[in-house]
Amino acid sequence: MRAIIVTEYGGPEVLVVRDVPKPIPGPGRILVKLHTAGVNPVDSYLRSGAQGYSPTLPFTPGMDGAGTVEDVGDGVIGYAGGEEVYIAGSVTGTYAEYCLCSPGQVFPFPEKLDWAEGASLGVPYFTAARALFTRGGASPGESVLVHGASGGVGLACLQLAAPRSITVYGTAGSREGEALVRKNGAAECFSHRDPGRFKAIREATGGSGVNLIVEMLANINLDSDLKILAPGGRVVVVGSRGRIEISPRDLMSSESVVMGIRMPLATLEERREYARLIEEGVRSGSVRPPVASLYSLEEAGEAHKTVVKGPHAGNIVLEIDNP
Ligand code: NAP
């Protein structure tokens, strides 16, 4: 089969397509024939080797995908050959024609979506659900600022929160991104290039501040985030690319809490709950990942350049074998 095989950590050029043996599903494993694979920023961090938690070489990148179950190993129940599925996490990597998964990584493909949209569910929507509800405790009647709402996780936050009577504010870095954020349920969208955005966001809440901030770039925003929280406010740090100094006094003044999330810490029950929220949202029409661009497997390096560069206007997908 064709697969991206990374033999050395480095830039996008290390994403090379090779012919390798098709995997065989051992006990407890599901073999999926992939039609599409989702591209997320974390894939580029793992490829670079810079963060210290990359897989051992050689490896195939990719956590998200969509396709058809080809075969199952001994002991796997509830999955059958020919079943259409989406993938949220993979044992062998989704930038390939076939991959192996464990049962907690494979979910029934929601009717109404296409293969590219299905490959955009895993990391973005599972992360959004964990940030908003498991960690952030977002509830009806509250206000949420999604700081970086035009990317994969941000748009998923909007689509999951807005239908639950939560007032959602978003930020984006381009006109196109701002339009997409408004279209996906934000009451208002602000430019995160505008230094005056914090004042404008507080004003949008009538001066009371936001209850929850889902933060995609904490090293830039956290200090100012703490100044626009309502009493008892929370910040969930989803992304950060460096250090930042904050004033602990700001935590005292609104009795606020800063917390992080890390998707690998989600339990199987939590992951099943996230899949349930996605299925419910797709059925009601509120969940539909906006796909920004499609690349071939051979163009995975270009896809990685795009995913870290921005500005964003949706998800990036590799088309592997679109039937
Ligand atoms: P993405 O699709 O690349 O989107 C990045 C978002 O950040 C875009 O909306 C971008 O807006 C925005 N952004 C750029 N500059 C910003 C600024 N100064 N302030 C606020 N936002 C800004 O990435 P993603 O998939 O949504 O993921 C977001 C971050 O979360 C990434 O760093 C990713 O690695 C991380 N993440 C963490 C976990 C975890 O378990 N903790 C899980 C998934 C993702 P424009 O492009 O419009 O400027």
Side-chain angles (χ1 to χ4, degrees):
M1 69 163 184
R2 285 159 55 245
I4 298 281
I5 306 289
V6 175
T7 56
E8 59 176 322
Y9 304 121
E13 69 283 353
V14 303
L15 298 174
V16 177
V17 178
R18 295 185 198 274
D19 266 319
V20 293
K22 179 175 154 184
I24 298 165
R29 293 287 183 254
I30 302 167
L31 178 67
V32 179
K33 178 172 171 46
L34 286 149
H35 305 317
T36 47
V39 177
N40 294 291
V42 65
D43 301 342
S44 70
Y45 309 154
L46 297 177
R47 182 212 69 223
S48 74
Q51 310 276 347
Y53 54 76
S54 296
T56 330
L57 297 169
F59 72 97
T60 295
M63 298 177 178
D64 289 349
T68 308
V69 174
E70 175 98 349
D71 197 4
V72 298
D74 288 346
V76 174
I77 46 172
Y79 297 89
E83 188 181 349
E84 294 183 346
V85 294
Y86 75 93
I87 293 171
S90 158
V91 176
T92 56
T94 58
Y95 292 14
E97 287 181 313
Y98 295 87
C99 74
L100 293 176
C101 298
S102 59
Q105 297 173 326
V106 179
F107 301 91
F109 195 85
E111 276 179 40
K112 297 187 181 178
L113 296 191
D114 64 30
W115 292 116
E117 291 165 338
S120 308
L121 293 172
V123 169
Y125 286 79
F126 280 45
T127 304
R130 187 164 186 77
L132 285 168
F133 306 121
T134 310
R135 298 287 286 151
S139 51
E142 287 198 312
S143 57
V144 175
L145 168 66
V146 183
H147 214 157
S150 50
V153 178
L155 289 161
C157 284
L158 301 177
Q159 293 184 1
L160 291 174
R164 291 181 164 76
S165 303
I166 294 165
T167 305
V168 196
Y169 304 104
T171 73
S174 67
R175 291 261 176 247
E176 196 189 357
E178 284 184 37
L180 193 61
V181 168
R182 288 197 183 90
K183 196 174 148 201
N184 281 276
E188 287 190 47
C189 185
F190 305 86
S191 167
H192 49 234
R193 296 176 195 276
D194 174 9
R197 67 188 178 282
F198 294 97
K199 185 165 177 281
I201 292 165
R202 182 179 270 288
E203 281 169 9
T205 66
S208 55
V210 286
N211 300 113
L212 172 66
I213 299 177
V214 180
E215 181 54 69
M216 307 303 165
L217 206 53
N219 57 303
I220 301 291
N221 300 314
L222 185 58
D223 184 46
S224 302
D225 286 346
L226 297 179
K227 296 173 174 51
I228 59 161
L229 285 172
R234 294 92 66 198
V235 180
V236 178
V237 176
V238 176
S240 185
R241 292 182 177 170
R243 300 175 66 87
I244 183 168
E245 187 175 309
I246 63 159
S247 169
R249 184 163 286 280
D250 292 327
L251 297 169
M252 289 153 57
S253 55
S254 58
E255 291 196 332
S256 49
V257 177
V258 180
M259 64 195 105
I261 68 157
R262 185 165 168 252
M263 271 320 289
L265 296 183
T267 63
L268 186 55
E269 288 68 33
E270 287 168 340
R271 293 169 60 79
R272 289 196 173 125
E273 173 59 12
Y274 305 153
R276 194 192 63 73
L277 291 177
I278 291 170
E279 189 193 332
E280 190 181 281
V282 173
R283 223 181 308 116
S284 71
S286 55
V287 164
R288 179 143 221 165
V291 175
S293 38
L294 294 170
Y295 293 86
S296 67
L297 200 54
E298 286 71 16
E299 293 168 328
E302 287 305 309
H304 272 213
K305 285 182 199 165
T306 307
V307 82
V308 291
K309 193 176 62 184
H312 290 76
N315 300 282
I316 293 161
V317 174
L318 301 181
E319 235 179 352
I320 298 165
D321 163 28
N322 207 340

